[in-house]
Amino acid sequence: MTAASGKRLGRVLVQAGVVTQEQLDEALSGAAGRSITSVLVEQGVADETEIARAVAENMGLPFVDLGAIEIDPTAATMLSLDLAKRHSCLPIKIQDDELIVAMSDPANIFAIDDLRIVTGFEIRPVVAAESELEQAIERLASMQQNVDEMVGDIEDLSAATEDDSATDEEEEAPVARIMNHIVTEAIRQGAGDIYIEPQEHDLRVRYRIDGVCQEILRSPKKIHRQLISRLKIQCGMDIAEKRIPQDGRFGVVLDGKSVDFRVAVLPTVQGEMSVMRLLRKDAIMMSLEDLGFLEQPMERIMEAITKPYGALLVTGPTGSGKSTTLYAAINKTTKPTVNLITVEDPVEYRLEGLSQVQVHEKAGLTFAAALRSILRQDPDVVMIGEIRDKETATIAIEAALTGHLVLSTLHTNDAPSALTRLTEMGVEPFLSASAINCVLAQRLARRLCKECREEYTPDEETLQRIGFPYQPGSPPRLYRAVGCTKCNNIGYKGRMGVHEVMTMSEDIERACVNHASGDEIARIAIAQGMKTLRDDGFEKVRMGLTSVEEIMRVVV
């Protein structure tokens, strides 16, 4: 920090009442080439956070706690480490075609001009504590150095391998470090999926966090082959086979928590890509109450799973939380007096206290074959991972009719469509109508960050266009996403379910038997009090849990 910038910062601190003029004069006289901030902290006059907040308030800029946010590596690597250290700044995010840069001295217009020229972006400064900036820059430098070293090691070993002078163990070491870094960071950031994707010239790694993909690493493509081979070895796949998709799994324990990884490798024109789904053991211990059910849908679900027989079907697209909901229902029904057996493909979560069957189609152990055998084991509750075909659907429905409680999933867009879907599969409508207790349709919506959500009054034209219920002339006060340090400037943190629960009634059974369409069944269900996905979502918007934009994204 220059003498001029130190004096400028000092004036701000005096105006803000953080230091007195005498304390500032003393600090400036003892600076001797050091930053005014470090001198004030050393003298015990003020702490860094206090100084940074005063600067932010004086200049009308946001303050960020770098220790509490995740820095976008794509943004961070747009600036050379030398330039970052010289100006004490670090790009943390790209948003709306602007580069958000954390700075200790945002009044340094020369630094901002340099950043604009080097990156090609318009610069939006935010204020951070000086030592936190230094630590973040050092972490970035260390991480980049580690990746560069690993890549360099791989290049050296690749060259040595051609001369037959490198052992397998030596070749695996740097690749193992990269893989461990990717996996551990994914767990700590709460990712649901990891994507390792070869591009034309490099390798891209992305995490899916709260349902949205975020790029976290780009590295030379030359490490791709070793990385995928390492992953295949961990999962017990055939490393020589590169022409067909392969599946596998492995597990890790980090910070005392066990996490399973379900891995799929798929050949693409650029090479083999891999998707790893993180299966956290603590996720399946969630109760139905934790999943965001409103009172009426919860009552309907509880009524369905407390019956000794019948079927509960959970519908929705891939990644909508169907398995988590089924396991939460299982947690309600699991007792020492209950014989509970599951048949899944794959078995995502391995649980104590129940029997789980893994489908193996090549060996002839299909859903239908497993179900036929399971029903000879005298189960009280049967969970079927997915109803995919006529044979599985027929056996499941017959099991529900013969004194078993059946829990399963089905791919439909809403709850009423589940009945017509079973009919299309070849199940007689009168059997479906008699066997099903309840159908739950589900989506996952992001929760608004409680720290930064902003209250506002929407205009009535928008509410009318989307069908949001309100009294004309008095639009409700709602909340929208803003973004802060706690949510990584996204505005959302965590997810919750949006639900549509249809219980069977005589009218719905009659409509099903008469081959009514999904729309006709939906009209009957709504008339009998069913909240649609949109109704449930709008109610959660009214409660301030999520935003209109998020509900429109996941429901429409």
Side-chain angles (χ1 to χ4, degrees):
M1 183 178 290
T2 64
S5 62
K7 291 178 180 178
R8 185 173 58 244
L9 175 59
R11 286 196 297 271
V12 170
L13 297 179
V14 171
Q15 290 170 5
V18 176
V19 299
T20 64
Q21 186 62 50
E22 291 75 14
Q23 290 171 329
L24 174 62
D25 292 340
E26 184 180 348
L28 286 172
S29 63
R34 292 190 298 159
S35 72
I36 188 69
T37 299
S38 61
V39 174
L40 289 170
V41 171
E42 184 181 290
Q43 293 177 349
V45 175
D47 64 49
E48 281 191 309
T49 301
E50 198 177 10
I51 293 171
R53 287 187 183 278
V55 172
E57 186 175 348
N58 179 268
M59 298 189 66
L61 297 173
F63 168 80
V64 296
D65 179 1
L66 291 180
I69 68 168
E70 297 297 336
I71 297 169
D72 181 353
T74 305
T77 53
M78 293 186 71
L79 201 62
S80 71
L81 293 171
D82 288 341
L83 198 58
K85 289 177 180 178
R86 183 160 73 247
H87 292 311
S88 187
C89 63
L90 183 66
I92 59 174
K93 191 176 181 64
I94 300 171
Q95 190 172 33
D96 300 330
D97 295 326
E98 290 181 319
L99 189 64
I100 300 174
V101 181
M103 308 180 71
S104 60
D105 181 16
N108 187 344
I109 57 174
F110 300 107
I112 292 175
D113 284 343
D114 283 351
L115 298 180
R116 187 182 295 114
I117 293 168
V118 169
T119 64
F121 280 87
E122 282 301 313
I123 305 301
R124 193 201 307 175
V126 295
V127 185
E130 188 175 294
S131 66
E132 287 190 0
L133 263 172
E134 291 173 358
Q135 291 169 10
I137 292 169
E138 288 302 322
R139 282 198 304 270
L140 178 68
S142 176
M143 184 183 73
Q144 192 61 50
Q145 183 181 0
N146 285 341
V147 172
D148 290 344
E149 286 177 358
M150 294 175 205
V151 173
D153 289 345
I154 292 171
E155 290 174 344
D156 293 343
L157 286 164
S158 297
T161 303
E162 294 175 4
D163 301 329
D164 298 326
S165 58
T167 66
D168 290 342
E169 289 182 3
E170 287 173 336
E171 189 170 3
E172 284 184 9
V175 180
R177 292 204 302 275
I178 293 179
M179 182 61 73
N180 290 342
H181 171 74
I182 291 170
V183 166
T184 55
E185 281 301 305
I187 296 172
R188 287 176 176 148
Q189 293 188 32
D193 298 283
I194 304 172
Y195 299 86
I196 299 177
E197 303 163 303
Q199 306 295 298
E200 185 175 359
H201 302 294
D202 56 13
L203 180 68
R204 179 174 70 175
V205 179
R206 293 189 295 168
Y207 295 161
R208 185 181 292 276
I209 301 174
D210 289 339
V212 178
C213 288
Q214 300 177 20
E215 183 176 317
I216 61 104
L217 181 68
R218 275 193 184 262
S219 134
K221 192 172 181 178
K222 58 191 74 171
I223 73 169
H224 169 250
R225 180 180 60 82
Q226 291 95 330
L227 206 59
I228 293 296
S229 295
R230 169 77 184 181
L231 187 59
K232 286 182 175 180
I233 290 169
Q234 281 185 285
C235 300
M237 299 180 190
D238 182 358
I239 64 170
E241 181 56 76
K242 296 179 174 62
R243 300 165 298 172
I244 61 174
Q246 296 188 68
D247 298 306
R249 67 188 301 147
F250 67 95
V252 300
V253 177
L254 182 67
D255 301 331
K257 294 182 179 179
S258 177
V259 182
D260 283 341
F261 287 77
R262 195 180 80 199
V263 183
V265 174
L266 177 70
T268 71
V269 292
Q270 302 292 354
E272 291 179 291
M273 72 167 286
S274 171
V275 180
M276 294 181 268
R277 172 155 290 188
L278 282 71
L279 307 170
R280 294 172 175 80
K281 296 294 180 67
D282 53 356
I284 53 168
M285 302 315 293
M286 295 177 71
S287 65
L288 286 171
E289 290 81 3
D290 297 328
L291 300 180
F293 281 94
L294 297 178
E295 185 178 352
Q296 187 228 44
M298 173 62 82
E299 289 174 355
R300 292 185 168 204
I301 289 290
M302 292 304 298
E303 181 184 354
I305 65 176
T306 51
K307 290 183 178 178
Y309 57 85
L312 166 65
L313 300 181
V314 183
T315 77
T318 301
S320 60
K322 298 188 296 295
S323 296
T324 301
T325 300
L326 278 186
Y327 280 115
I330 283 176
N331 289 336
K332 287 285 186 184
T333 58
T334 301
K335 301 173 186 174
T337 55
V338 172
N339 182 19
L340 196 155
I341 305 177
T342 76
V343 52
E344 305 167 66
D345 182 24
V347 175
E348 292 189 335
Y349 300 102
R350 298 178 184 181
L351 304 176
E352 295 291 333
L354 63 146
S355 304
Q356 295 174 276
V357 178
Q358 168 77 54
V359 166
H360 195 310
E361 295 196 358
K362 289 183 180 178
L365 184 59
T366 61
F367 273 112
L371 266 177
R372 279 193 295 269
S373 180
I374 283 172
L375 295 178
R376 300 188 198 107
Q377 310 296 322
D378 192 25
D380 299 299
V381 182
V382 179
M383 190 194 98
I384 307 164
E386 183 183 345
I387 294 177
R388 295 178 179 173
D389 51 48
K390 176 183 177 181
E391 192 175 9
T392 305
T394 301
I395 298 171
I397 293 299
E398 288 175 353
L401 288 169
T402 54
H404 306 87
L405 179 62
V406 177
L407 310 175
S408 189
T409 70
L410 196 64
H411 284 281
T412 63
N413 289 327
D414 56 18
S417 299
L419 298 176
T420 56
R421 177 77 180 116
L422 290 172
T423 303
E424 291 167 3
M425 282 185 174
V427 179
E428 291 294 340
F430 69 89
L431 292 176
S432 301
S434 303
I436 294 174
N437 295 337
C438 176
V439 183
L440 162 66
Q442 177 171 307
R443 301 290 188 277
L444 288 178
R446 292 179 293 175
R447 289 180 182 269
L448 281 170
C449 174
K450 292 181 181 179
E451 301 294 328
C452 66
R453 64 180 184 173
E454 179 182 75
E455 192 175 9
Y456 75 106
T457 302
D459 61 86
E460 296 193 29
E461 182 183 345
T462 301
L463 296 178
Q464 289 173 0
R465 188 175 69 251
I466 65 175
F468 193 97
Y470 74 102
Q471 290 293 330
S474 59
R477 299 284 291 173
L478 304 179
Y479 289 88
R480 59 189 169 198
V482 177
C484 67
T485 58
K486 300 294 184 184
C487 61
N488 199 17
N489 288 308
I490 294 172
Y492 299 93
K493 191 170 186 180
R495 290 192 289 177
M496 64 180 176
V498 178
H499 307 102
E500 175 179 285
V501 183
M502 183 185 76
T503 52
M504 294 300 290
S505 65
E506 289 185 10
D507 291 339
I508 293 176
E509 287 185 25
R510 193 177 303 112
C512 181
V513 171
N514 291 331
H515 295 270
S517 68
D519 289 340
E520 291 170 326
I521 294 173
R523 280 193 289 271
I524 297 170
I526 291 169
Q528 294 178 350
M530 180 186 80
K531 285 182 179 290
T532 65
L533 284 166
R534 182 178 285 202
D535 293 338
D536 191 83
F538 284 162
E539 183 63 28
K540 285 163 181 169
V541 169
R542 197 181 291 273
M543 293 166 66
L545 299 176
T546 188
S547 66
V548 169
E549 293 78 12
E550 182 67 6
I551 293 302
M552 299 305 290
R553 181 182 74 87
V554 301
V555 171
V556 175

